[in-house]
Amino acid sequence: MAKTSEKDFSIYFQPPSLKDAKKRGKEDVKVHYNFEIPEEMEGFGIGKKYMIRTFGCQMNEHDTETIKGILEQLGYTDTEDRTQADLILLNTCAIRENAEDKVFGELGHLKSLKRENPNLVLGVCGCMSQEESVVNRILQKHAHVDLIFGTHNIHRLPHLLKQISFEKEMVVEVWSKEGDIVENMPKKREGMKAWVNIMYGCDKFCTYCIVPYTRGKERSRLPQDVIQEVRELARQGYKEIMLLGQNVNAYGKDFEDMDYDFGDLMNDIHKIDIPRVRFTTSHPRDFDDHLIEVLAQKGNLVEHIHLPVQSGNSEILKKMSRKYTRERYLELVKKIKAAIPDVVLTTDIIVGFPGETDEQFEDTMSLVREVEYDSAFTFIYSPREGTPAAVMEDNVPLEVKKQRLYRLNELLAEIGLKKNQQLVGQVVELLVEGESKNNPDMLTGRTRTNKLVHFSGPKSLTGQFVHVRIDQAKTYLLTGTLVDVEKQASAM
Ligand code: 5AD
Ligand code: SF4
């Protein structure tokens, strides 16, 4: 095995720096349409198998689709069996400490596999790779890792794999500063629903959050590129699109020579012949009247809005740097409900932010009662190194935080059940996803508002739209009876 010179090696040792990742420059973001597999790498993966484990959010899931697309263009095939894999990648999440613990646990398990099969290439990518402390820990304690790359240089994967093939040292290539937008990377999508990025990065810098550091500055894809991708997915028969961005409401704010925002994009996508369009995640601060007006047209724009509140107390919101107050958030909710009366609202909530008092937590409880969310993702605050909140004084004992989380979840379950019970007797439209995991005699589908419904029917309905009458409601599940199958869907 040839070794590279020191000079070459330094190119492949670029660890991350959170300090650099924090900077926001004024440089224009370029868009590239010329991604291709380098000639010398064509067929590199033929006869080899890969396995990817993905942690975290839908953005990461979608990145995995791109990584799979690149690997399959190189000739690799996928496997679920780790003992068969020539390449294992962990696409990681940094949002909370327990997400990171899972990855380090997995790296520990993979040590023996690597010992048995020294030719196995083991890589770590995704948000954790963007953190200095993580890369240092891997360098010191997990020397069996061969490759670390980040969220900004996925398109470099073919080059990095080539480098590993003749490099004995760990290859580390993480860009702290975001790169340009690379448009035409291949994607391996599965199923009838498709994720579509509309923007990358986040400039909000909420004080608890690591994302602005791991995903770089806000960069919007050009409207024509997003629209063309959605049109193509519609043509291919996809039934549902999920538009992705860390803060979709900031879409277009970085366009220098164009006045075009998220409302405009949704309005254009509304005209495309694809049955359902969703988006995630919204930031309440930038959620404007124009967008509400556009969403109120409905059609393919479904009546579900995920609107993370994080806390119901204005002082805590200020410490979180969320840039809205409890009152402004509630006003926004009021406007949305007035414009879209059957809207389903869901949210994200953090309990036990540094210094959160009992009274401040009670404000979160009362806001939840007032908004009546159908469901929510709830978290105990987890300090992230390098973020401002990590150095704030925190005098709230973990036991108290756990108790708050428990009470909050009880309240959300109670409201969720009440909301679901209101659906009993109604006929709803479902996109059928297939057999239920727990009961193969039942099919499962999702309503426009993303609620899970079980009903009995032939498996051939998978991928189609049906109408179902709701018979029974539980907190997280509805059951119903098939009424009819939509013609439009069966013709597609
Ligand atoms: N601790 C706990 N929860 C967090 N989130 C983001 N950062 C943290 C953190 N440090 C939550 C927020 C966000 C969701 C994706 O994860 O609620 O909306
Ligand atoms: Fe994190 Fe706030 Fe950006 Fe969401 S808006 S990704 S919580 S910094």
Side-chain angles (χ1 to χ4, degrees), residues 229-238 272-274 492:
E229 184 173 355
V230 175
R231 280 213 186 104
E232 176 57 22
L233 291 165
R235 200 191 58 73
Q236 290 171 14
Y238 283 91
I272 300 177
D273 189 14
I274 190 139
M492 277 176 87

Side-chain angles (χ1 to χ4, degrees), residues 95 202-212 246-247 281 283 310 322:
I95 200 95
C202 179
D203 288 347
K204 279 283 181 279
F205 287 100
C206 301
T207 55
Y208 51 82
C209 187
I210 193 76
V211 168
Q246 245 79 41
N247 167 15
T281 280
H283 192 295
Q310 313 299 359
R322 289 290 288 177

